[in-house]
Amino acid sequence: MYIQLIENRRSVRSFKNTPITENHLATINQFLDELNQSVGPFGHSAEFTMIPVSNHINAEGEKIGTYGVIRNPAAYIVGMTKNTKVHLIDFGYTFEIFMLNLLDLGVGSCWLGGTFDRKMLSAKFEKNNSFIIPAITPIGYHDERPSIIEKTMRRFANSDHKLAFETLFFNQNFDNPLKKEAAGIYEIPLEMIRIGPSASNKQPWRMVVTADGFIHFFIKHTPNYNGRLKFDMQLLDIGIGMAHFKSAVDEIGIKGEWRIYEGLQIPINDPNIEYIMSWQTL
Ligand SMILES: Cc1cc2nc3c(=O)[nH]c(=O)nc-3n(C[C@H](O)[C@H](O)[C@H](O)COP(=O)(O)O)c2cc1C
C-alpha cells in the first residue's frame, strides 16, 4: 500500500471548505495515538497534538498563522521533539508515516517547517528549551482546483523538479553514480526516497549501495539553509527518506535492519556530506 501512496503523494496546501467526517476523525485520532507511540530508526518518539481550526482559528480563538500559504485547513497537527540530530530524524520518519496513513484515508497534508507562526505555537506548547516544534501540518480534503498560492509555492520551491536517480544514489562510492537499471532490488525503495518531500525541495538524500548488502544513508547539507532557525531542518528530510525506503523494502519483502556502520570506509570529498546510518539487507 505504501509504495502506491508514496507515488501518489504531493504536498497539499489548498483544502475543501468542508469539515473532516466523524468517521475519519476517529481514525485520525487512532493514527495520532499510534504516531505518539511509534519510534524512528534511532528509537525515539515525539509528541503530536491535533488542533481543529475554522478559518485558521482554534477553539480558544487563537490564530494559527501560515503566512497565507495554506487555504481552508480543517485542523493542524503540531509536533514537538528534542533538538538533537537523532530526534529530528526520528521525527521526520514517524510524522511522514502518519501523513501517508492520512493519504490512505483521502486526507491531504503538507509539511510546514518554515511558513507557520512558530513563535505563537512555541509559546503555547514548548515545555522547555530543549523541546522544539520542528514542523506542523495542516490536514483536510484536497481542493484540486488550481489555486494561485499552491502554484506559486510549487514554482518557488521548484517542487516538480526532482533530482535524477544517479544524482542521489551511488554504487560502492561517491565516484560511481548508480543508474536506475543497475539498482536491482533496491530500485523501488530508492525511487521512493527520490520522489519524497523535502524542505524547499532541496532533496538532501545521498545513498551509497555496496556489494555486501548495505545501503549507506548520507545527508548532503545545503549550506546556510537553516538561517535563523535553531535546528537543522534537513534532518527531517532524511527521516522522511528513511521512512519511504523502509516502507518499500517491507512491502517488497526485503528483510534487513538499520545499523550504525562503525569504521565506514567510503571516502567523502564534499564537506557538506555527512554519514547518518545504514540499512543492512539480511
Ligand atoms: C521538512 C519540510 C519542511 C517543509 N516546509 C514547508 C513550508 O514551510 N512551507 C511550504 O509551503 N512547504 C513546505 N514543505 C513542502 C516542500 O516545499 C515540498 O515537499 C517540496 O517542494 C516538494 O513538493 P512535493 O511535496 O509536492 O513533492 C516542506 C517539506 C518538508 C519535507
Side-chain angles (χ1 to χ4, degrees), residues 98-150:
F98 169 80
M99 291 193 208
L100 292 172
N101 288 333
L102 289 186
L103 183 57
D104 193 37
L105 275 189
V107 172
S109 60
C110 178
W111 278 90
L112 296 181
T115 57
F116 71 95
D117 185 349
R118 177 172 273 116
K119 218 171 177 179
M120 177 265 176
L121 286 176
S122 300
K124 198 172 163 63
F125 289 110
E126 286 179 12
K127 291 181 222 154
N128 58 51
N129 279 341
S130 68
F131 261 76
I132 55 165
I133 299 177
I136 68 172
T137 182
I139 62 170
Y141 301 113
H142 190 185
D143 183 348
E144 291 177 27
R145 290 174 304 174
S147 93
I148 290 173
I149 184 67
E150 190 113 41

Side-chain angles (χ1 to χ4, degrees), residues 51-65 73-76:
I51 310 178
V53 287
S54 171
N55 247 333
H56 299 274
I57 309 282
N58 71 6
E60 283 126 43
E62 298 157 325
K63 180 168 183 184
I64 316 289
Y76 284 96

Side-chain angles (χ1 to χ4, degrees), residues 1-7 31 97 100-101 104 247 251:
M1 129 190 170
Y2 283 109
I3 291 174
Q4 206 183 349
L5 290 171
I6 293 167
E7 284 172 346
F31 289 161
I97 299 279
L100 292 172
N101 288 333
D104 193 37
S247 305
E251 194 165 319

Side-chain angles (χ1 to χ4, degrees), residues 131-275:
F131 261 76
I132 55 165
I133 299 177
I136 68 172
T137 182
I139 62 170
Y141 301 113
H142 190 185
D143 183 348
E144 291 177 27
R145 290 174 304 174
S147 93
I148 290 173
I149 184 67
E150 190 113 41
K151 272 196 214 150
T152 310
M153 291 308 289
R154 295 195 73 77
R155 203 176 316 126
F156 189 63
N158 207 3
S159 302
D160 293 316
H161 179 75
K162 301 290 196 257
L163 294 171
F165 199 90
E166 55 268 33
T167 304
L168 302 181
F169 310 128
F170 298 85
N171 189 2
Q172 300 301 328
N173 59 55
F174 284 106
D175 291 333
N176 301 314
L178 178 66
K179 288 235 164 60
K180 211 173 177 175
E181 308 78 67
I185 56 168
Y186 302 118
E187 178 183 336
I188 293 173
L190 291 174
E191 177 66 9
M192 295 304 108
I193 300 176
R194 193 184 76 83
I195 61 177
S198 59
S200 305
N201 202 34
K202 294 291 182 197
Q203 307 162 73
W205 317 285
R206 296 295 181 275
M207 280 84 214
V208 178
V209 179
T210 54
D212 51 1
F214 278 90
I215 318 281
H216 302 290
F217 282 61
F218 296 82
I219 181 171
K220 182 172 178 171
H221 296 280
T222 304
N224 307 318
Y225 182 72
N226 297 304
R228 274 175 294 156
L229 283 179
K230 56 178 181 176
F231 70 98
D232 185 352
M233 176 109 72
Q234 294 190 302
L235 292 169
L236 304 176
D237 301 339
I238 296 302
I240 293 168
M242 292 172 97
H244 283 199
F245 179 88
K246 179 66 164 59
S247 305
V249 289
D250 282 354
E251 194 165 319
I252 293 169
I254 300 172
K255 299 258 178 304
E257 63 188 22
W258 295 113
R259 281 189 47 189
I260 309 273
Y261 197 109
E262 303 290 346
L264 185 62
Q265 294 290 336
I266 295 175
I268 305 173
N269 46 21
D270 180 335
N272 296 313
I273 295 186
E274 182 193 357
Y275 172 67

